[in-house]
Amino acid sequence: MAESICRALRDGALEGEHAPALTIKDSIASPFGFHVFCHVLSQLSSFILAGKSQSGGLVVVSFSRSPSFYLELLKNKGIDVVSSDKRIQILDCYSDPLGWKDRLIEAGNFTALSHEASNSSTANVLKDVKHMDKLYNSIVERGKGLIGGGKNRFSVAIDSVDEMSRHASTSSVAGLLSNLRSHDQVSSIFWLLHSDLHEARVAAVLEYLSSMVTSLEPLHQPANGHRGDLENLSLIEHNLKKGKFHVRIKRRNGRVRVMSEEVHIEQSGISFTSLSSEGAINQGLVPKVQFSLELSEKERIDRANVVLPFEHQGNGKPIQIYDGRRSLADSKHERQVAATEKVQTNEDSGGGEIIYFRDSDDEMPDSDEDPDDDLDI
Amino acid sequence: MAAAKTRTSSFSRNLSAAAPSQGPGLKCGPNGTVFLSSGISDLDKILGGGFPLGSLVMVMEDAEAPHHMLLLRNFMSQGLVHNQPLLYASPAIDPRGFLGTLPSPAASKDEKSHKHDPDQEKGLRIAWQYKKYFGESQLNFDGQRDGKHEYSNEFDLRKPLERHFLSAQRVDCVSIQDSPNLSALQDRSATFLSQYPRNDGSISCAGRIAIQSFSAPQCAYSNMEWDMLSFIRSLKSMVRSSNAVALITFPPSLLSPSFCKRWQHMADTLLSVKAIPDEDKELSQLLTGYQDMVGFLNVHKVARINTQVPVILDATTFSIKLQKRRFLVLECLNQAPVDGSSGTSYGTSGSCSGSSKTGNLDF
């Protein structure tokens, strides 16, 4: 559940433990990763500002969105970053990640444009993201600047690990993340990953490094890959508004908690509801025996068609019971069949049939009846 | 040779009288092998005595659970308690910090529940044809209980190891995160192992090497797969000719499948640990004691040095439990008494690769 994830990030790390780390993973089939990231970000920010969390500050490393986006986002949630800039800092790796503007200025071909200087207190432009150590140092520096020294801790939110992986090798990205996790003053850390932008190994590495993994999947898988089908189009449209939210939490005792929820994207934001059970639970209720206890559809129909040899079938009209003394054609006459009758010769009405005379005199008694009942004493 | 003693092979080494003076840390086994304890007495029993000297033990981690750390901690603590020097390598920046989490031996074994065993035996009347099996296990029990220095200690995971065990001459730590290639680690291992050469004389001391998360992604060499493989091969050959045991843990999900297989073949003893899902109703119906379990341990391969006879275990999957949250215990899996389950829920029997991340259980 999204609530438990946010709570885990809020509670932070125990003494001597690595900080909890969350990976938010999505793919093109269910592209809500960024919405989930913003949701977690706003939740954690409100916890931090309310003083309910272990961490005293938040450093947002923004690669894929400009810092003003985050300022807007948090303002819409009621968090005014500028006035509370002692708590939330945004490290701007979006505007000029490779330092091109400076190099162009040096080359003399470019006149410097004025940056958004008013936001300089919250945004710090990082110009060299290729070197993970420098990024690490800047993050830690910003964090320490937020909280001061001592036992205080800060949280880190990384906008998109994809951008980081573009600039640096997987092992250096992994090194950065694990060093952040094991830093004494980091309380919690979370990041977003678009899994189809990378090889499978990158996703595996990030899952290895994190203590909670959330993945987004479409609710309905399209039947085949053809996107032109009308049915598939409506499915895809459906998938753009809703999805399944799977969470795997690695608990301290070594067990893995697996949870699922439904996620809806609306104008106002994102909402999580519990998964509507679609029959996936029923499999567990059938005991696993070696016989097939289920009936196929044809078998069910055949079973309904069998005429049972009872006195009446519940239809309201009396049933002629085939007791072998009349052919079936005579059963149209509405006559109650007497329970006992004399033996009469049976008319042959076809090929193979079961010859049974109900309650006839030479009928063998049932084995569970008392054989002494036959004695006429 | 008395006929009453069962021998497992027709060849037995002519052990001289110098053998018993090895001390409590080493135990002689069949075929001239000498064992040292893994730190977990249940695991020693499963493996037939412990880890043989000169073998390479590899543990396949599960990315979702830290159970390999339990194995590592017990292994390292056992070595330190028995005065067997240790070389520890890990991808952390400060590996020495991990030493503070090593467990200490539990108070004494007499307090544990062994005492009611003799009482039970008096009440049991064992049929005569089974007495020969009973006698053998009795032998093992007595051998382990004499004296304070036991071959395999019971470790209390909540009590840290005393400081004097962690002095520098016994423990050497290496951080493998920043080294661009493996030559530094290889040199350190070589110098460490050269102190314990194997010759035909008596064994004075044995060493232990513990390498944690060898292919961890934050290590700079982690994408150099051939280099890592050749390191393992050279380590294996160095260990084989010395009186030491090397334990390497690695996460197989981060390796390519062909390299995962190659690494598994390199190992003399191959174990894997697996996480279990929390609050899984199907599992709790299927297995007894599910609430206490924290994970599974699979034994894929058992080292057989100096012999061609393979070990066929009764069971290869064991559950890891923490008794009173302190003592690590391995138990066979017991199926709960449910109305007969079919074979479909078990799938194939015992798959070798620990890299599958499915929810199915392969027993």
Side-chain angles (χ1 to χ4, degrees):
Chain A
M1 260 68 102
E3 306 306 318
S4 49
I5 299 174
C6 296
R7 257 182 280 134
L9 290 177
R10 176 197 73 190
D11 296 336
L14 291 180
E15 191 67 44
E17 223 190 34
H18 286 328
L22 167 69
T23 297
I24 303 171
K25 197 171 73 161
D26 72 351
S27 64
I28 194 72
S30 180
F32 311 132
F34 194 70
H35 293 91
V36 176
F37 179 84
C38 295
H39 174 82
V40 176
L41 179 67
S42 45
Q43 290 277 68
L44 191 60
S45 314
S46 52
F47 284 141
I48 290 174
L49 288 173
K52 287 189 199 164
S53 67
Q54 187 198 44
S55 76
L58 175 67
V59 177
V60 181
V61 183
S62 71
F63 276 95
S64 65
R65 297 281 194 282
S66 117
S68 50
F69 173 86
Y70 289 111
L71 298 176
E72 275 298 311
L73 171 80
L74 291 173
K75 197 183 287 188
N76 289 342
K77 300 280 176 183
I79 301 166
D80 193 3
V81 180
V82 179
S83 69
S84 58
D85 64 349
K86 291 295 172 201
R87 303 293 194 110
I88 300 179
Q89 295 266 0
I90 303 176
L91 190 62
D92 177 23
C93 303
Y94 169 83
S95 316
D96 192 11
L98 297 173
W100 285 346
K101 288 183 186 155
D102 290 346
R103 284 196 231 154
L104 285 170
I105 292 171
E106 280 170 29
N109 297 343
F110 204 69
T111 50
L113 295 175
S114 60
H115 290 277
E116 295 154 9
S118 57
N119 282 338
S120 61
S121 59
T122 49
N124 190 15
V125 185
L126 188 71
K127 299 212 173 136
D128 190 2
V129 296
K130 271 200 173 163
H131 298 116
M132 287 289 123
D133 339 346
K134 289 196 191 165
L135 180 62
Y136 174 75
N137 290 333
S138 347
I139 295 175
V140 170
E141 209 181 286
R142 300 298 285 173
K144 284 190 182 162
L146 273 180
I147 54 163
K151 288 214 158 174
N152 295 331
R153 295 179 184 246
F154 62 96
S155 298
V156 182
I158 299 180
D159 185 309
S160 168
V161 178
D162 312 309
E163 303 283 329
M164 278 168 65
S165 312
R166 270 176 63 196
H167 297 297
S169 68
T170 312
S171 61
S172 41
V173 171
L176 172 94
L177 294 176
S178 71
N179 289 340
L180 277 176
R181 270 194 87 192
S182 49
H183 195 273
D184 290 335
Q185 288 185 296
V186 171
S187 159
S188 55
I189 175 171
F190 62 102
W191 57 77
L192 171 65
L193 169 77
H194 300 300
S195 59
D196 34 14
L197 292 179
H198 305 283
E199 295 175 357
R201 184 174 182 259
V202 177
V205 164
L206 290 171
E207 284 178 28
Y208 175 81
L209 289 173
S210 50
S211 63
M212 297 181 280
V213 179
T214 69
S215 52
L216 286 155
E217 275 162 36
L219 263 184
H220 311 284
Q221 304 280 0
N224 45 19
H226 299 145
R227 305 195 48 151
D229 280 2
L230 204 63
E231 195 185 285
N232 282 340
L233 276 179
S234 67
L235 272 180
I236 291 170
E237 212 184 306
H238 211 169
N239 284 341
L240 285 177
K241 294 204 202 87
K242 288 198 212 175
K244 267 194 277 199
F245 183 68
H246 295 296
V247 178
R248 293 184 79 92
I249 300 183
K250 302 180 198 177
R251 294 184 59 203
R252 285 189 181 100
N253 62 4
R255 289 183 165 197
V256 178
R257 177 163 282 162
V258 180
M259 298 186 284
S260 289
E261 266 187 329
E262 244 183 56
V263 64
H264 298 265
I265 309 293
E266 289 129 16
Q267 283 287 58
S268 54
I270 192 173
S271 72
F272 297 92
T273 54
S274 63
L275 201 56
S276 54
S277 58
E278 290 176 357
I281 309 170
N282 293 339
Q283 292 169 10
L285 297 176
V286 176
K288 297 187 177 75
V289 295
Q290 286 172 343
F291 311 104
S292 153
L293 293 179
E294 315 278 3
L295 293 174
S296 72
E297 200 52 49
K298 180 177 180 301
E299 287 168 347
R300 221 170 270 141
I301 293 170
D302 289 340
R303 185 171 79 165
N305 284 345
V306 168
V307 176
L308 295 170
F310 297 144
E311 288 295 327
H312 65 94
Q313 294 285 359
N315 296 348
K317 54 181 185 186
I319 280 282
Q320 321 305 332
I321 297 172
Y322 179 62
D323 61 355
R325 292 173 184 89
R326 281 170 183 63
S327 69
L328 281 171
D330 287 344
S331 62
K332 284 188 187 169
H333 301 292
E334 294 195 1
R335 279 199 321 197
Q336 289 283 358
V337 179
T340 55
E341 275 195 53
K342 292 281 184 280
V343 175
Q344 292 176 11
T345 52
N346 185 24
E347 292 182 19
D348 257 332
S349 52
E353 59 183 8
I354 298 170
I355 300 171
Y356 170 67
F357 300 112
R358 188 163 179 254
D359 290 343
S360 74
D361 290 335
D362 52 1
E363 195 176 285
M364 299 301 223
D366 289 347
S367 57
D368 51 355
E369 282 176 21
D370 192 351
D372 290 338
D373 278 348
D374 270 348
L375 296 173
D376 290 337
I377 297 175
Chain B
M1 293 288 167
K5 181 172 162 217
T6 54
R7 288 185 305 180
T8 51
S9 75
S10 49
F11 296 102
S12 55
R13 192 171 208 146
N14 210 5
L15 290 171
S16 57
S21 69
Q22 289 156 4
L26 300 168
K27 184 165 87 165
C28 290
N31 310 316
T33 49
V34 180
F35 292 111
L36 47 75
S37 170
S38 61
I40 307 166
S41 47
D42 291 331
L43 187 59
D44 289 341
K45 276 191 217 126
I46 294 164
L47 295 175
F51 295 142
L53 282 186
S55 70
L56 175 68
V57 181
M58 297 188 77
V59 178
M60 298 199 284
E61 303 172 19
D62 187 332
E64 295 185 316
H67 301 314
H68 59 279
M69 307 293 274
L70 292 172
L71 298 179
L72 261 176
R73 284 196 185 104
N74 281 290
F75 178 75
M76 288 164 66
S77 286
Q78 182 73 79
L80 294 176
V81 164
H82 281 318
N83 212 359
Q84 291 161 348
L86 173 71
L87 173 69
Y88 170 60
S90 100
I93 297 177
D94 181 27
R96 281 234 149 226
F98 181 67
L99 298 179
T101 64
L102 293 182
S104 177
S108 77
K109 226 173 179 181
D110 307 277
E111 290 171 11
K112 297 204 66 206
S113 52
H114 287 307
K115 61 176 182 276
H116 64 67
D117 276 349
D119 297 339
Q120 268 186 357
E121 285 154 29
K122 289 193 201 109
L124 275 178
R125 293 184 305 136
I126 300 170
W128 64 269
Q129 64 260 42
Y130 298 122
K131 277 218 158 80
K132 58 175 176 177
Y133 300 119
F134 208 70
E136 212 172 74
S137 63
Q138 272 285 33
L139 216 65
N140 288 341
F141 260 138
D142 292 341
Q144 282 184 22
R145 266 195 283 179
D146 53 1
K148 279 187 77 171
H149 297 286
E150 296 151 4
Y151 169 68
S152 165
N153 293 80
E154 199 75 29
F155 285 98
D156 184 347
L157 291 164
R158 287 202 168 173
K159 213 168 92 178
L161 196 59
E162 290 149 35
R163 289 275 141 191
H164 69 91
F165 284 116
L166 300 173
S167 62
Q169 62 244 77
R170 296 192 201 194
V171 188
D172 198 12
C173 293
V174 182
S175 167
I176 50 180
Q177 184 177 18
D178 294 322
S179 50
N181 52 28
L182 288 161
S183 51
L185 183 60
Q186 190 149 346
D187 294 337
R188 292 286 281 272
S189 318
T191 43
F192 180 79
L193 290 170
S194 58
Q195 301 165 21
Y196 315 104
R198 182 185 293 204
N199 41 37
D200 276 335
S202 65
I203 304 165
S204 55
C205 201
R208 297 184 185 222
I209 296 182
I211 302 180
Q212 178 195 325
S213 299
F214 183 52
S215 63
Q218 56 261 39
C219 300
Y221 59 79
S222 57
N223 52 352
M224 296 156 50
E225 293 184 311
W226 283 112
D227 290 15
M228 292 197 283
L229 183 65
S230 67
F231 170 81
I232 294 176
R233 210 162 120 249
S234 64
L235 181 69
K236 178 176 175 169
S237 57
M238 287 193 288
V239 163
R240 186 68 113 235
S241 56
S242 62
N243 288 324
V245 172
L247 174 72
I248 302 182
T249 74
F250 67 98
S253 55
L254 303 183
L255 291 173
S256 62
S258 59
F259 273 94
C260 189
K261 270 290 168 212
R262 287 184 173 108
W263 287 31
Q264 290 173 39
H265 279 300
M266 279 280 120
D268 291 320
T269 302
L270 182 65
L271 308 170
S272 73
V273 288
K274 203 155 179 201
I276 52 177
D278 204 16
E279 294 174 19
D280 185 333
K281 293 193 179 56
E282 280 194 22
L283 262 189
S284 62
Q285 281 175 351
L286 198 62
L287 301 169
T288 51
Y290 166 76
Q291 275 76 16
D292 306 320
M293 291 184 200
V294 292
F296 291 131
L297 175 82
N298 262 306
V299 179
H300 298 285
K301 232 205 259 189
V302 177
R304 298 295 277 169
I305 304 179
N306 300 344
T307 171
Q308 295 275 13
V309 179
V311 162
I312 301 175
L313 299 170
D314 292 330
T316 54
T317 307
F318 301 92
S319 63
I320 304 174
K321 291 189 183 178
L322 289 177
Q323 273 180 354
K324 301 177 194 169
R325 299 202 194 160
R326 294 174 148 201
F327 305 110
L328 184 68
V329 156
L330 297 175
E331 283 183 4
C332 259
L333 292 174
N334 288 317
Q335 189 182 321
V338 155
D339 44 5
S341 61
S342 70
T344 50
S345 65
Y346 285 68
T348 58
S349 61
S351 73
C352 216
S353 78
S355 56
S356 57
K357 295 200 313 181
T358 59
N360 289 345
L361 303 167
D362 294 330
F363 286 117

